[in-house]
Structure formats: structure tokens, C-alpha cells
Amino acid sequence: MSAKATRIAALTRLAIGLAQGIALFLLQKADESKAWPATAPMLYAPLLVCALTVPLIPLSALSAMRRTALLGWSAVAAALVAILAIHAAWVGATPDRLGAGPLSPPLFIAVAALLFIAHHLIQPAEAAGKPVAPYADYFDLVGTNAVRLFLSLAFTGAFWLLLFLAGALFKLIGVEAIQKLIGETAFAFPATGLMFAAAVHMAVQLTEARAGLVRGVRTVGLVLLAWLLPLMVTIAGGFLATLPFTGLAPLWSTKAAASLLLSAAAALIVLINAAYQDGLEPPNAILRWAARAASLLLIPIVILTAYALWLRIHQYGLTPDRVMATTYLIVATGFTVGYTLAALRSATWMKPLERTNLVMAAVSVLLLIALFTPIADPARLSVASQVKRLESGKVSAEKFDFQFLRFDSGRYGRLALERLRVSRDPEIARLAAKADAANEKAATPANTGPDFAHMAVYPAGKTLPASFRQQDWSLHGADSTCTYTRMRCSALVIDIDGDGTDEVLLASGATFDVFKLSADGWRRVAQASGVCPGADIDAALEAGQVTMSEPTARRDILVGGQRLSVVPAGEGCRAPPPPLRDGLVKLP
């Protein structure tokens, strides 16, 4: 690039950065003062999101794309971003929420990801003059722009650190003008935009002049990352090999199986690409075989993820989190199919992986557009699923989460709530009207029930009664630590009052909450606690060292060397009684 072209590029980037900073300042002041255009969410939202994200396209590609192509792509990107922002504002807007309120962080993250992926599909193709450029061009541009972005953010951060240091130094001698200046948004926004644009220009010049150095550093980093692939293959392989012996129950009991499995799949995909890089030179034989093995391990992991997700959706319907997880699963499935074919059918070093990466990049862009438009909005799909479950009788009106419709699903939920208010079912109509009239979300009951999945039951051979597990703990779990915090507690099933029916004791440390079956469920009727500090209650329970004192005026529980006094609920603390004579039989 000639010196003149370089100066023009520099001035253009600085002008874009300054204009972006001024635009963001004006939008921020409008939102702060509740003035136009902040009073019109459908206008404010696209202006804000476009001003924040779209200028990054000409900043990065100013010297790399033809002017007409760059202007056309920037216009398309602005239109696309505006559509997503308008939809977000429409879904979240309420009469008392104006300005940036309806816009959530996921929208900005999604827009940034969408533009990043789409830009790196478009720029290499435009430079090559054909729809699909050589794969090495895509790989090189992504790595180079990642370095440029890091350098630009670091430079901008260093700029602000120096300003804060200058303000603190001058304040020491009584000059506060600098601190006041950097605290003004009229300075902060334009200065940040200008310095970031300057940093981008310098990063572009540096990476073009030292392209070989940048590629070398990138290659070293990826090679080091790639050598984690054999370890990840060992971990994933060991996990899958252990499942037949442990069964799926421990995995399902985590209630996070799908997210953990998707994380494992993502790690394998990233490490496979770290080993493959641009595909021009095959890596070490160990990495080649590890990449092929990792591609095959993706199959059972994705199948397990799909099964786990299907179970949750079948049992409880869609939620926004499950819609997002389904989207990730679609992407993971696409990579799995492509990588498996590359591992099994390719005579060369997994060459079909390149086509898979490009296709899934385009699919990811389409999925992001769908998720943040009415096509597949997680709130819309979740509301439709949950309301269908309610109206079909799969979930009763008493157990249905009307608060989700009122507060957590935007306009879609509020529209559904309005329809449910005139339901033919009087209970649904009553609860819908009650939720619709609420001004704030009610607190979720704290006592959500014991953690049965990880609960050890003593003595050996005893099991918890089914009625104890299945009762409504939001009604009958009051005053028990185990039911409020879902901490891991032990359970002791034993008859402590001599009536021939076992009670259930939940142990939290050296204290037991005693539950007894009554006409209205299992109720906490007493507490058993000891006075000896440092007693290892869990070890004594595991060893079966549990007995009852002789039936006298009161029976105490003997656990190991510890005597636990049983105090009826509401009686309060009292001094432990004199030791009673132990003529006892140890429980099996």
C-alpha cells in the first residue's frame, strides 16, 4: 500500500471511530434524559446496536475489500442488525420500559458473533473473486483479525489506564481538571472511539508488515493447544468406557448432563481444529490419530446429549435454556457428521473438515438470525410449549409457572397470559389474572426439598419411603436446613418413639431433623442434637453404630460415642439429661 493510501485509510478509520463515539454519546444522553429517540424503543434499539457493532466492519476491512463491496456488506449488516434489535425491543418493550431497557446482553453477544462469523465468510470470498475462497484464506484471516482485535483492545485499555494515572497524579497537587474531564461522557465516548480506531489502524499496519511473525506466534499457540487433544481424547474415552458400569443414573442426577456433554463436544471440536489448522501441513502422527479418534468420540457424546435433552423437554417442555441447548446440539451434530466422514472416508489428512467448518459457520449465522427473530425466538417457543402443556393437562394450574409468562418471556408471555385470563378452566383463569396483576416477581420458595440424588441412607438395607421423597417440600420442609439449601445430607431411617413405624431423620452435621408421617404428609416434629464437639457422626452412621436408649421417660439416640437428645419441635433447647442405662441392640 502506498503512503498516500495509508494516510487516507488512517484518516478514514479515525473519522469512523470519532463518529461512532459521538453517536454512542448522543444515544447515551438521550437514554439518560429520557428524550427522543430513547422514548421510541423501536428506533432507539437499532440505532444503539448498529452504532456499537457495525462500524467494526469498515474499521477492519477498509484496506482489504473493494469500496463498493465493503459499503454493500456494511449496509446489509446494518439492516440485519437493525431487524434483530427491533425484534428485541418489540419483545421486551412495556409502557414503563423505554430506551435501552428491553435490550439484553445476549443480543449484543449474538450480534457480535453473527457479524464476526459472517464477515470472515464474506471478506475472503470477495478477495478471491468467487463464492468460496481457499480454506487457508479463511483460517489466516480469522487468526489475523483475532490478533488485531486483542491488540486494539489492549491499546485502548492502556490509554485509559494512563488517563486514570494522570488524573490521580495531578490530584496529588490539587489539580482535579483531568479527573473531571475523563469522568465526562462527552469526552469518554468520542475519545474511546477515536483511540480504538487508531489502535485498529496501527494493528493492521503491524500485522501486514510482520505477517510472518504473526503467523509464527499463532502457529506456536495452536500447536501447544493441539497437544491437549490426546489428553481430551483420553478423558472422553475413559468417561464413555465407564458409563456401562455406572449406568446413566449418576449422569442424569446432575441435572446438567446436556450442558456438560455439549462442553465436552465443544472442547473436542476446538482441539481438532487446533491440530488441523489450515490443513496445508499434516501434524505429528499422534495428533493425526488423536484427531480421528476425537471425531469418532463425538458420536456417542452427541447422542447422549440429544437423549438427555429429549428427556428434559419430554418431561418438562421447552424453556429458553433448552431452546438454546437444542441450537448448540444442532451445531454439534453438524460438526460431528462432517468430522466423522472426514475421519473415516478421507485418504488425506481429514480434508473434508474444511467444507464442514464453512458449512457450519453459515449454519451458525442462520441459527443466530432465527434465535433473535420470531422464527425461533426462545421465549416464543417456550411460551407455546408451556401453555400447550397446561391446556392439555400435562401440568396442573397449581403447579404451572404463571410468573414465567408475566416476567420472564417478554411480550410473548404477556400475550399468552391475556389469553389464559379468559380460559374456560376457572382455576387457570384465576391464576392467570392473579399473575397478570402482579407488579413484581414473587420470591421462589427457598425450601425446594432434600438432595435425594446424593443422599446416603442408614442403616444399611433401609430405604427412604416413597411418600417422603414425593411430597411437596415447599409446604412441609420448613425449618430444616437440608430442605432449604439442598445441601448433601445423610438420612437415618429408625423408629425413635417405639410405635412400630420408622421416622426419617435428616442429618446436617451433628444435628438431625426428625420427620414423622402424619395425615397431611411428613412433618418435622423434633430435633436430635448432641453436645460433644468434633464427633464424627457420618463415620458412625456408615459403620452402623446406631442404637436407641432404653424406653424410659425419653429415648435418646446413640450414634457411635455420641448421645443425641431428642427435643420436640417448638420446645427449644434444654440441658442434656443424665446418661441413661444402655441395654440396646445395634441396628443392622
Side-chain angles (χ1 to χ4, degrees), residues 315-316 386-387 389-391 393-405 420 425 427-428 430-432 444-445 469-475:
Q315 291 175 329
Y316 305 109
Q386 295 301 327
V387 170
R389 284 168 49 81
L390 173 65
E391 294 178 334
K394 288 185 177 181
V395 60
S396 65
E398 293 77 12
K399 294 184 178 180
F400 184 77
D401 188 2
F402 287 94
Q403 291 196 101
F404 168 71
L405 301 183
L420 292 175
D425 187 317
E427 186 64 10
I428 292 178
R430 182 184 70 82
L431 293 175
T444 303
R469 288 173 170 269
Q470 296 169 1
Q471 74 167 336
D472 186 353
W473 286 96
S474 66
L475 300 177

Side-chain angles (χ1 to χ4, degrees), residues 546-570:
V546 183
T547 57
M548 294 297 300
S549 65
E550 286 186 344
T552 56
R554 184 198 67 255
R555 301 181 78 192
D556 291 342
I557 305 172
L558 306 178
V559 182
Q562 173 85 299
R563 178 182 290 271
L564 306 181
S565 299
V566 180
V567 180

Side-chain angles (χ1 to χ4, degrees), residues 17-282:
L18 182 60
Q20 181 187 28
I22 293 173
L24 291 173
F25 162 70
L26 294 175
L27 291 171
Q28 187 272 338
K29 293 301 291 185
D31 183 53
E32 187 180 82
S33 59
K34 295 297 181 284
W36 188 91
T39 53
M42 302 299 179
L43 174 62
Y44 184 88
L47 288 176
L48 176 62
V49 183
C50 286
L52 192 63
T53 58
V54 175
L56 298 177
I57 294 174
L59 282 177
S60 63
L62 186 62
S63 305
M65 294 180 66
R66 290 177 292 111
R67 183 179 302 176
T68 54
L70 180 57
L71 290 175
W73 162 225
S74 299
V76 170
L80 189 58
V81 169
I83 292 172
L84 270 59
I86 290 172
H87 174 258
W90 180 84
V91 170
T94 60
D96 59 338
R97 290 177 66 187
L98 303 174
L103 302 179
S104 61
L107 173 67
F108 293 97
I109 297 172
V111 167
L114 187 155
L115 293 182
F116 184 87
I117 297 171
H119 179 72
H120 289 88
L121 289 174
I122 291 172
Q123 183 178 325
E126 192 276 335
K130 50 186 179 181
V132 181
Y135 182 77
D137 292 352
Y138 296 103
F139 178 82
D140 186 63
L141 181 64
V142 170
T144 302
N145 278 348
V147 172
R148 290 171 179 173
L149 179 61
F150 172 78
L151 293 175
S152 301
L153 292 174
F155 180 87
T156 307
F159 165 75
W160 275 103
L161 286 176
L162 290 178
L163 286 185
F164 283 124
L165 176 60
L169 287 175
F170 278 93
K171 188 177 180 180
L172 291 176
I173 57 176
V175 178
E176 299 185 2
I178 294 180
Q179 278 197 338
K180 291 181 179 179
L181 176 64
I182 62 178
E184 293 290 335
T185 53
F187 169 80
F189 281 101
T192 301
L194 192 63
M195 295 309 297
F196 181 77
V200 169
H201 181 74
M202 289 186 288
V204 169
Q205 297 302 309
L206 176 64
T207 52
E208 288 180 351
R210 299 288 187 271
L213 177 61
V214 173
R215 292 191 184 96
V217 172
R218 183 186 64 205
T219 300
V220 170
L222 289 175
V223 168
L224 291 176
L225 185 63
W227 278 103
L228 294 176
L229 181 59
L231 174 61
M232 187 61 202
V233 167
T234 303
I235 293 171
F239 167 76
L240 294 171
T242 306
L243 278 182
F245 301 98
T246 63
L248 295 177
L251 183 62
W252 302 153
S253 67
T254 64
K255 297 183 179 180
S259 59
L260 291 173
L261 290 168
L262 283 172
S263 298
L268 287 172
I269 292 169
V270 169
L271 293 176
I272 289 171
N273 280 278
Y276 188 82
Q277 297 192 34
D278 57 8
L280 298 179
E281 295 183 7

Side-chain angles (χ1 to χ4, degrees), residues 321-333:
D321 287 342
R322 290 176 196 141
V323 173
M324 295 301 297
T326 302
T327 305
Y328 300 145
L329 177 61
I330 292 172
V331 175
T333 302

Side-chain angles (χ1 to χ4, degrees), residues 257-525:
S259 59
L260 291 173
L261 290 168
L262 283 172
S263 298
L268 287 172
I269 292 169
V270 169
L271 293 176
I272 289 171
N273 280 278
Y276 188 82
Q277 297 192 34
D278 57 8
L280 298 179
E281 295 183 7
N284 182 280
I286 295 176
L287 293 181
R288 293 201 300 272
W289 283 106
R292 294 181 186 275
S295 301
L296 300 179
L297 288 174
L298 283 171
I299 299 174
I301 290 176
V302 167
I303 291 174
L304 283 173
T305 304
Y307 182 53
L309 196 54
W310 177 83
L311 285 178
R312 300 299 289 178
I313 293 174
H314 179 70
Q315 291 175 329
Y316 305 109
L318 288 175
T319 63
D321 287 342
R322 290 176 196 141
V323 173
M324 295 301 297
T326 302
T327 305
Y328 300 145
L329 177 61
I330 292 172
V331 175
T333 302
F335 278 113
T336 300
V337 172
Y339 286 15
T340 301
L341 294 176
L344 294 178
R345 299 178 59 183
S346 176
T348 57
W349 160 230
M350 293 188 69
K351 190 70 175 176
L353 174 148
E354 300 176 359
R355 186 184 308 110
T356 299
N357 284 352
L358 296 180
V359 170
M360 293 314 301
V363 169
S364 298
V365 170
L366 296 177
L367 288 174
L368 285 169
I369 295 172
L371 286 172
F372 288 87
T373 58
I375 299 172
D377 185 290
R380 184 185 70 81
L381 297 179
S382 301
V383 167
S385 172
Q386 295 301 327
V387 170
K388 183 178 179 181
R389 284 168 49 81
L390 173 65
E391 294 178 334
S392 65
K394 288 185 177 181
V395 60
S396 65
E398 293 77 12
K399 294 184 178 180
F400 184 77
D401 188 2
F402 287 94
Q403 291 196 101
F404 168 71
L405 301 183
R406 175 66 178 87
F407 297 103
D408 299 327
S409 52
R411 189 183 294 263
Y412 294 113
R414 293 191 295 273
L415 292 174
L417 202 57
E418 290 179 7
R419 184 169 62 83
L420 292 175
R421 288 179 59 184
V422 295
S423 171
R424 295 181 179 179
D425 187 317
E427 186 64 10
I428 292 178
R430 182 184 70 82
L431 293 175
K434 179 181 177 181
D436 192 41
N439 293 322
E440 60 182 15
K441 190 174 182 179
T444 303
N447 44 323
T448 55
D451 184 5
F452 293 117
H454 302 94
M455 181 175 288
V457 181
Y458 303 104
K462 289 281 188 176
T463 59
L464 291 172
S467 58
F468 185 81
R469 288 173 170 269
Q470 296 169 1
Q471 74 167 336
D472 186 353
W473 286 96
S474 66
L475 300 177
H476 301 296
D479 301 327
S480 174
T481 301
C482 293
T483 61
Y484 267 88
T485 63
R486 291 191 70 85
M487 65 184 293
R488 293 191 181 184
C489 297
S490 301
L492 178 63
V493 181
I494 187 173
D495 179 13
I496 69 170
D497 56 6
D499 66 352
T501 303
D502 286 338
E503 282 72 46
V504 176
L505 287 71
L506 297 182
S508 175
T511 300
F512 288 82
D513 291 313
V514 182
F515 289 85
K516 185 176 180 64
L517 182 62
S518 63
D520 58 348
W522 289 84
R523 305 298 301 273
R524 179 181 175 274
V525 297

